[in-house]
Amino acid sequence: MSFFFPVCAKMLFMSNHNFRRPLSRETIKYIAILAMTCNHAALALLPASSAARVALTDIGYFTAITMCFFLTEGYSYTRSVKNYASRLLVSGLLAEIPFCVVRGSFAFDMMFTLLICLGVLCICDRVPDLTQKVLLILLLAFLSGFCDWGALPVLFVLLFRFSRGKRHLEAASFCVGALAQFFSELAGNWSSSVSGTAAARSALFASLPLLASGAVILCLYSGRRAERFRTFHKWFFYFYYPAHLALLACCRLLLSRTP
């Protein structure tokens, strides 16, 4: 796993130099949305054994850690955590049935994962007793295991919560997140009776998008919102998420009925 550490050092070196980083928060979110759409389209439309499906699914892993980073950032800026949570909940409820159709099995969709992560951040700030805090976070991590992305996003938001504003720690957080993804995928591949070399290679490819997210955010993110159409950008994802899943679910159902 030594390849992680040069990447981490490179991201840290670049992020400490003064140059204009070109990407706004919204631009990176749109990249994450595109990666997510590739993942969902692969699940809905491509056969499980397809190499293209595996590649597009891996690309989608860019989204999870990216959204967790911006959730942590958004939590620190939001005027109302209640309203933030309400938007996630409504979008999640609208997307749930299409998501299960696209996935082909039951799980709570990504908005519920982000809602749980928002709860983790609230617990970190609002529960003073350490024992209660740890137990509540463990409970939310357990619940997150029934959601899209599993329990790893809880780890991601905790890493970003405690590294916020410290570039070297943020770089390390992305590397730790990629390592966690690697070992999670490796365990899953081995449990599926995949050979050791193939399992390690598959896990490596699944973890690289998390490092790519770190490189984009640490080296290219300006730390600012888009200057125009802020209201549109704010609401786009909440509408796009259930809408694209509904479209993909319809396509999957139509394809399943095609002789």
Side-chain angles (χ1 to χ4, degrees), residues 4-259:
F4 282 102
F5 299 101
V7 172
C8 179
K10 181 67 173 178
M11 290 192 297
L12 180 58
F13 174 81
M14 294 181 65
S15 66
N16 283 334
H17 282 67
N18 293 323
F19 66 95
R20 182 175 176 80
R21 298 183 182 91
L23 301 184
S24 68
R25 182 193 316 170
E26 286 74 20
T27 301
I28 299 175
K29 282 186 176 181
Y30 284 129
I31 296 172
I33 289 170
L34 178 60
M36 174 193 70
T37 304
C38 290
N39 179 289
H40 290 161
L43 292 177
L45 307 176
L46 298 178
S49 59
S50 167
R53 171 168 169 157
V54 174
L56 291 173
T57 300
D58 287 347
I59 288 172
Y61 294 136
F62 178 95
T63 306
I65 199 165
T66 302
M67 289 303 185
C68 287
F69 178 89
F70 286 117
L71 178 81
T72 307
E73 185 178 74
Y75 170 77
S76 67
Y77 292 142
T78 187
R79 296 177 182 177
S80 173
V81 174
K82 181 179 178 181
N83 290 342
Y84 199 170
S86 297
R87 293 193 295 270
L88 292 171
L89 178 61
V90 171
S91 184
L93 289 171
L94 291 173
E96 180 58 21
I97 293 177
F99 173 74
C100 291
V101 173
V102 167
R103 179 185 171 95
S105 61
F106 174 78
F108 291 105
D109 63 68
M110 180 184 72
M111 291 299 187
F112 290 101
T113 311
L114 293 176
L115 185 61
I116 287 173
C117 290
L118 186 62
V120 169
L121 294 173
C122 290
I123 289 169
C124 288
D125 285 345
R126 303 182 186 188
V127 177
D129 183 79
L130 180 60
T131 301
Q132 291 181 3
K133 184 180 297 188
V134 170
L135 290 176
L136 287 172
I137 290 174
L138 289 175
L139 175 60
L140 290 182
F142 172 76
L143 294 176
S144 186
F146 297 97
C147 301
D148 192 19
W149 302 344
L152 285 181
V154 172
L155 171 64
F156 297 159
V157 295
L158 288 173
L159 289 169
F160 295 136
R161 164 69 173 76
F162 293 107
S163 66
R164 180 164 170 72
K166 303 176 181 68
R167 305 293 287 186
H168 63 293
L169 291 180
E170 288 178 337
S173 294
F174 278 102
C175 290
V176 171
L179 281 168
Q181 173 75 3
F182 176 87
F183 287 114
S184 175
E185 289 290 319
L186 189 63
N189 290 334
W190 272 343
S191 67
S192 301
S193 301
V194 179
S195 68
T197 302
R201 182 171 59 249
S202 177
L204 173 62
F205 288 143
S207 62
L208 289 178
L210 283 76
L211 288 178
S213 172
V216 170
I217 290 173
L218 293 175
C219 301
L220 301 177
Y221 175 39
S222 66
R224 300 182 179 90
R225 296 180 59 190
E227 296 181 359
R228 304 177 62 188
F229 308 114
R230 288 187 174 184
T231 301
F232 172 82
H233 296 315
K234 175 180 178 179
W235 288 100
F236 175 79
F237 183 57
Y238 295 108
F239 287 103
Y240 178 82
Y241 184 71
H244 92 284
L245 284 171
L247 178 60
L248 288 173
C250 290
C251 292
R252 181 183 176 100
L253 292 173
L254 288 173
L255 288 174
S256 67
R257 295 178 181 179
T258 302

